[in-house]
Amino acid sequence: MLQRLTPSQTLVIGFALIILVGTCLLMLPFASTSGESLRFVDALFTATSATCVTGLVVVDTGSSFTMFGQIVIICLIQIGGLGFMSFATLFALALRKKISLRERLLLKESLNAGSMEGIVRLFRKLALYAFTIEGVAAVILSIRWSFDLGVSKGIYFGIFHAISMFNNAGFDLFGSISGEFSSLTSYANDIVVNVVVMALIILGGIGFIVMADVMEKKSFKKFSLHTKVVLTTTGFLIVFGALIIFIFEYLNASTMGPLDVGGKILASFFQSVTTRTAGANTVDLSSLRQATQFFMIILMFIGASPGSTGGGIKTTTFTVLMGALISMIRGKEDIVLFHNRLAKDRILKAVTLTLFALGLVIIVSMVLSTTEDRSFLAILFEVTSAFGTVGLTMGITASLTTVGKILILLTMFIGRLGPLTLAIAIGPKNDKELFRYPEGKITIG
């Protein structure tokens, strides 16, 4: 029966099984600091958020879970970030087993690679890059936090947060230090923590294929079109996002007002970077101006890049849509990026994905606005954060109703796998059409 499943169906079922196992482990009494079993819906929510590398939490990770529970969470993050097929391949390579054609297809789907050619060789590089980046960041953060927390706790915090931030998960342990759901607010002015965390988020968000391309070619002119689009779009969104947040929050006494100019710039960049689906924050998001909150919703909806640990409609989709808009305004028939014309199917896929995502966010937000006693902007922020697997919140996650938690965890699941992957997995098989209908014309606009 497993052989009949398509790669998309296998990914959906695989992620669901990992979440189920994680839920069972987090419900064990010794996973909770209270010594009592966590409610099923709360354990399921936490396991989904960790596996889908989101970061939304209904109970504080640092104060509510024992070391065992925290290790379960970080393992789910690592598996969810790199993809369960990546870990299956890693074990197979370690045991010197041959990777079958079906496993290569699954790995291609999991990594969102363009072709199956050299997929195992690509995976070896990606695994090396991922663990090296996490290792280096863990060492730096461990040294920094050892001054504040002691050597043993500093090392533990360094490893946990390096894995969490590189996989764009946003889970943190500072609830046991600075108060529940405090995230990294106590380090808003810390240049080391901010720079390292931002670097982890960006590297995890640009995608493994881009990382491999950059490491191999080392010249922007030699990069593939995909890499050029990802790097330029990511850079633009980060800088533009930081500028807008800096302007809107400069005089806000509840957020960036008390910081000096350097602190304001640092906080602006951090909040802009973290909308790349990371989930950490250094200022109180519920105190941001509504204009800033809505702008962050837009950034979260765009999300990270294909083949990365992040969610959203992806930077490439956003660029294709902007390219279509500019081409239409200029009266051009083709979308041209870096002297390359895009195929029509890329444009249709970008439009389809965006409409799927927009429809999902709108429907879930409308339903939650009837089940939750919160402002619509806070609900829209929460839903977009869940879809983009961001993990940022205006403080409503812990108080969600059971219906609200289920809707949000389903949104996280869809956001991690991608709306199109899920639609293909549950939809009917595509049969090739044997004929085409005559072309018709309708008036647009």
Side-chain angles (χ1 to χ4, degrees):
M1 181 177 176
L2 290 175
Q3 297 299 321
R4 297 180 193 171
L5 296 175
T6 65
S8 297
Q9 291 171 333
T10 304
L11 287 178
V12 171
I13 294 172
F15 267 97
L17 288 175
I18 291 168
I19 290 170
L20 185 59
V21 171
T23 301
C24 294
L25 291 174
L26 292 177
M27 287 183 68
L28 295 173
F30 50 83
S32 175
T33 53
S34 66
E36 300 177 357
S37 295
L38 199 64
R39 290 176 59 214
F40 173 76
V41 68
D42 292 340
L44 178 64
F45 190 100
T46 304
T48 304
S49 183
T51 307
C52 297
V53 290
T54 304
L56 291 175
V57 291
V58 289
V59 293
D60 182 71
T61 309
S63 59
S64 299
F65 291 102
T66 61
M67 182 175 286
F68 171 80
Q70 293 167 3
I71 291 173
V72 169
I73 289 172
I74 206 63
C75 287
L76 291 175
I77 289 171
Q78 188 74 86
I79 294 171
L82 296 183
F84 76 93
M85 267 312 302
S86 297
F87 273 86
T89 305
L90 192 64
F91 282 118
L93 291 173
L95 297 172
R96 299 184 180 279
K97 290 179 64 178
K98 187 176 181 181
I99 309 301
S100 67
L101 177 61
R102 177 174 175 75
E103 289 169 338
R104 291 170 190 266
L105 283 169
L106 287 169
L107 191 59
K108 170 184 171 293
E109 187 81 12
S110 178
L111 295 175
N112 206 4
S115 70
M116 203 167 60
E117 183 182 355
I119 191 67
V120 176
R121 186 169 63 254
L122 174 64
F123 166 73
R124 290 176 192 268
K125 294 178 181 178
L126 302 186
L128 177 63
Y129 296 157
F131 293 131
T132 299
I133 292 168
E134 289 177 349
V136 171
V139 170
I140 298 173
L141 291 176
S142 295
I143 294 172
R144 170 63 189 87
W145 282 328
S146 290
F147 291 101
D148 297 342
L149 310 173
V151 176
S152 59
K153 183 171 276 193
I155 293 173
Y156 178 60
F157 271 51
I159 295 171
F160 186 98
H161 291 87
I163 296 173
S164 177
M165 297 307 166
F166 176 74
N167 288 287
N168 282 206
F171 279 81
D172 71 272
L173 302 178
F174 284 97
S176 60
I177 306 294
S178 312
E180 291 188 350
F181 311 112
S182 57
S183 191
L184 298 175
T185 51
S186 57
Y187 289 92
N189 274 313
D190 194 297
I191 188 72
V192 174
V193 173
N194 276 262
V195 169
V196 172
V197 171
M198 283 192 288
L200 285 169
I201 294 168
I202 293 171
L203 290 172
I206 61 175
F208 298 119
I209 297 171
V210 172
M211 225 182 292
D213 200 28
V214 170
M215 293 297 291
E216 285 179 11
K217 299 176 181 175
K218 298 181 175 63
S219 171
F220 190 83
K221 290 183 179 180
K222 297 179 181 178
F223 292 160
S224 67
L225 175 62
H226 173 80
T227 300
K228 289 178 180 178
V229 170
V230 166
L231 293 179
T232 52
T233 305
T234 299
F236 169 77
L237 289 174
I238 289 173
V239 174
F240 181 68
L243 179 62
I244 295 298
I245 293 171
F246 181 83
I247 293 171
F248 285 171
E249 297 299 318
Y250 188 85
L251 298 176
N252 188 344
S254 300
T255 55
M256 288 164 40
L259 302 175
D260 57 26
V261 176
K264 287 181 171 67
I265 294 173
L266 198 61
S268 298
F269 270 98
F270 191 92
Q271 263 50 241
S272 178
V273 169
T274 200
T275 58
R276 311 252 49 77
T277 82
N281 58 282
T282 56
V283 298
D284 181 11
L285 300 183
S286 62
S287 299
L288 294 171
R289 301 186 194 279
Q290 289 190 347
T292 309
Q293 292 168 346
F294 187 74
F295 178 70
M296 290 178 74
I297 288 173
I298 297 172
L299 293 179
M300 290 191 296
F301 186 75
I302 297 171
S305 302
S308 71
T309 57
I313 62 171
K314 304 295 191 294
T315 53
T316 48
T317 302
F318 172 73
T319 302
V320 171
L321 294 176
M322 290 299 99
L325 175 65
I326 294 171
S327 295
M328 183 63 68
I329 292 174
R330 295 176 61 189
K332 304 290 185 180
E333 185 176 343
D334 297 322
I335 300 176
V336 179
L337 300 173
F338 295 101
H339 307 292
N340 286 268
R341 175 175 55 85
L342 295 186
K344 297 294 182 185
D345 70 308
R346 300 293 90 188
I347 304 167
L348 288 174
K349 186 173 182 179
V351 173
T352 304
L353 175 59
T354 304
L355 291 177
F356 255 111
L358 195 58
L360 174 68
V361 170
I362 290 172
I363 292 171
V364 175
S365 297
M366 288 173 63
V367 175
L368 287 182
S369 66
T370 63
T371 63
E372 313 300 319
D373 185 21
R374 295 286 183 160
S375 69
F376 184 75
L377 185 61
I379 290 172
L380 181 62
F381 193 99
E382 190 85 4
V383 174
T384 308
S385 177
F387 165 73
T389 67
V390 181
L392 295 177
T393 179
M394 287 165 61
I396 74 171
T397 313
S399 60
L400 288 172
T401 62
T402 300
V403 173
K405 290 175 183 177
I406 293 172
L407 283 173
I408 290 295
L409 71 86
L410 288 174
T411 305
M412 290 190 288
F413 187 72
I414 295 171
R416 178 63 182 96
L417 289 169
L420 288 184
T421 299
L422 196 64
I424 292 170
I426 64 178
K429 292 184 178 179
N430 295 327
D431 295 323
K432 189 174 181 180
E433 293 183 350
L434 301 178
F435 63 91
R436 296 179 72 186
Y437 290 98
E439 185 178 288
K441 297 193 177 201
I442 59 173
T443 302
I444 303 294

